[in-house]
C-alpha cells in the first residue's frame, strides 16, 4: 500500500502543543475520527524519518499508523523544520483537520453540545527524534557541504538541551 503524503496548511503553537492544520485529511481520516467520537480507544504509533524527494528536496516526515486504517504521512519542508524544536519543548503535537477550532476558538466550540473535533493528539512527539538525528548525522558525514542537512543537524543538536538525548 502506498500512503499519501500531506503537507501542513498551517503550523502554530498553543500553550501545550504544536498545532498542525491539514484540512485535506478530514475525509481521509473520517474512520479514525468516528472511532474517537464513539469513545473507542484507538492505539496509534508514529515514527520520524528523513526522505529525499525526486526533485532533490529533503523532507522530515512523521508517519502515524493505527490498526484498521491507512495511516498518515505528514511532510515538513525545510521552512517548517524550526517547529521540531517547538515540538520537543511542548512534547505534544495536535494534527487538526478542521479550521473551525482555530477560527472560532476551542472554548466556544466545546460549549456546544455536539463538539466533535477532527484532531489527533500525539503525546511525546519528540520520541524517535534521536533516530532521525543519527540518520542526519550519518548523511552529513558522507555528504559534506549539503547545507540543508547541516542545518537540520544543528537544529536537532539544539534540541539536545531539551527533553531528548541525542547520540
Amino acid at each position: 500500500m502506498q500512503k499519501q503524503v500531506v503537507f501542513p496548511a498551517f503550523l502554530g503553537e498553543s500553550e501545550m502543543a504544536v498545532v498542525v492544520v491539514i484540512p485535506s485529511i478530514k475525509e481521509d481520516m473520517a474512520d479514525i475520527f468516528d472511532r474517537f467520537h464513539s469513545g473507542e480507544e484507538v492505539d496509534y504509533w508514529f515514527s520520524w524519518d528523513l526522505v529525499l524527494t525526486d526533485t532533490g528536496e529533503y523532507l522530515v516526515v512523521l508517519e502515524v499508523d493505527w490498526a484498521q486504517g491507512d495511516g498518515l504521512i505528514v511532510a515538513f519542508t525545510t521552512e517548517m523544520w524550526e517547529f521540531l524544536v517547538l515540538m520537543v519543548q511542548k512534547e505534544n503535537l495536535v494534527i487538526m483537520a478542521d479550521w473551525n477550532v482555530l477560527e472560532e476558538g476551542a472554548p466556544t466550540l466545546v460549549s456546544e453540545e455536539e463538539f466533535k473535533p477532527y484532531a489527533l493528539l500525539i503525546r511525546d512527539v519528540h520520541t524517535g527524534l534521536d533516530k532521525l538525528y543519527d540518520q542526519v548525522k550519518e548523511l552529513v558525514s558522507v555528504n559534506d557541504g549539503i547545507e540543508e542537512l547541516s542545518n537540520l543537524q544543528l537544529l536537532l543538536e539544539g534540541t539536545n538541551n531539551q527533553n531528548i538525548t541525542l547520540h
Side-chain angles (χ1 to χ4, degrees):
M1 172 195 329
Q2 195 170 16
K3 295 182 183 186
Q4 179 183 1
V5 176
V6 294
F7 293 88
F10 172 83
L11 285 153
E13 67 176 303
S14 71
E15 288 182 31
M16 299 180 354
V18 169
V19 177
V20 175
V21 179
I22 310 170
S24 64
I25 65 170
K26 188 173 183 178
E27 193 172 301
D28 296 337
M29 292 180 55
D31 63 325
I32 194 168
F33 293 133
D34 288 343
R35 291 168 64 190
F36 286 143
H37 297 158
S38 71
E40 183 180 341
E41 296 241 355
V42 180
D43 290 329
Y44 56 90
W45 52 96
F46 64 93
S47 62
W48 291 98
D49 201 3
L50 180 72
V51 297
L52 180 62
T53 67
D54 294 342
T55 60
E57 180 182 14
Y58 285 98
L59 300 173
V60 171
V61 297
L62 174 66
E63 184 170 357
V64 184
D65 284 302
W66 56 89
Q68 302 170 0
D70 293 335
L72 174 68
I73 298 176
V74 181
F76 298 94
T77 62
T78 55
E79 296 83 17
M80 300 173 186
W81 289 354
E82 66 191 45
F83 281 90
L84 294 172
V85 175
L86 284 173
M87 287 180 206
V88 170
Q89 291 172 354
K90 303 288 183 178
E91 298 184 11
N92 299 309
L93 175 70
V94 177
I95 300 173
M96 298 174 54
D98 192 350
W99 283 105
N100 285 341
V101 175
L102 292 180
E103 291 173 350
E104 296 180 30
T108 303
L109 293 172
V110 170
S111 65
E112 294 178 12
E113 193 172 308
E114 288 295 314
F115 177 62
K116 294 181 179 178
Y118 291 92
L120 176 66
L121 171 63
I122 300 177
R123 296 183 193 278
D124 301 321
V125 72
H126 59 279
T127 304
L129 283 176
D130 55 339
K131 292 177 186 166
L132 175 64
Y133 173 76
D134 290 342
Q135 180 185 12
V136 171
K137 186 176 174 182
E138 183 177 324
L139 285 170
V140 167
S141 71
V142 296
N143 296 296
D144 191 33
I146 298 179
E147 189 175 346
E148 289 176 291
L149 291 176
S150 297
N151 290 343
L152 182 56
Q153 182 181 7
L154 288 172
L155 185 87
L156 291 170
E157 284 174 356
T159 63
N160 191 24
N161 298 328
Q162 316 255 334
N163 296 336
I164 62 172
T165 303
L166 303 175
H167 307 291

